[in-house]
Amino acid sequence: EFENEVTIGIHNSFEKEQLISTFIQANELCHSLNQLNINGSDLLMIGFYNKEIGKKLDELLNLVIENKIVNKKEILLDYFKK
């Protein structure tokens, strides 16, 4: 959504990527696994193992990026405790 809002009128893909990156950093948006407020150790403690942990972290990251879940540890853990 924000991509359309901040990139209106920009046709150069390099400029578009720079603008989006600046927007993400300025608004402290989560855009990578190391920015999630949860990690593999947290998922291990609630019963996930090995490759499953990576898949679950990717799933959470996508949900956070799409603004479908808040990047707070308790909320992220509760998502899998349902």
Side-chain angles (χ1 to χ4, degrees):
E1 290 177 24
F2 71 86
E3 181 176 342
N4 292 334
E5 294 174 20
V6 298
T7 61
I8 293 172
I10 295 183
H11 303 288
N12 178 313
S13 63
F14 178 72
E15 288 177 359
K16 184 177 179 179
E17 291 299 319
Q18 281 188 315
L19 188 56
I20 291 170
S21 178
T22 300
F23 179 86
I24 288 170
Q25 290 172 355
N27 290 284
E28 298 181 7
L29 300 177
C30 177
H31 63 281
S32 67
L33 288 175
N34 65 356
Q35 292 177 310
L36 276 178
N37 287 324
I38 194 173
N39 60 41
S41 296
D42 297 315
L43 294 182
L44 189 63
M45 288 180 16
I46 61 170
F48 292 103
Y49 296 98
N50 302 325
K51 292 181 184 178
E52 191 177 33
I53 290 174
K55 289 178 184 177
K56 297 302 180 184
L57 288 172
D58 286 338
E59 180 180 344
L60 288 173
L61 177 61
N62 288 326
L63 290 169
V64 170
I65 288 171
E66 295 169 0
N67 291 317
K68 293 182 178 176
I69 192 169
V70 178
N71 187 22
K72 294 193 178 202
K73 188 172 186 170
E74 287 184 24
I75 293 171
L76 297 171
L77 287 172
D78 285 344
Y79 177 79
F80 291 119
K81 290 180 181 179
K82 296 178 187 177

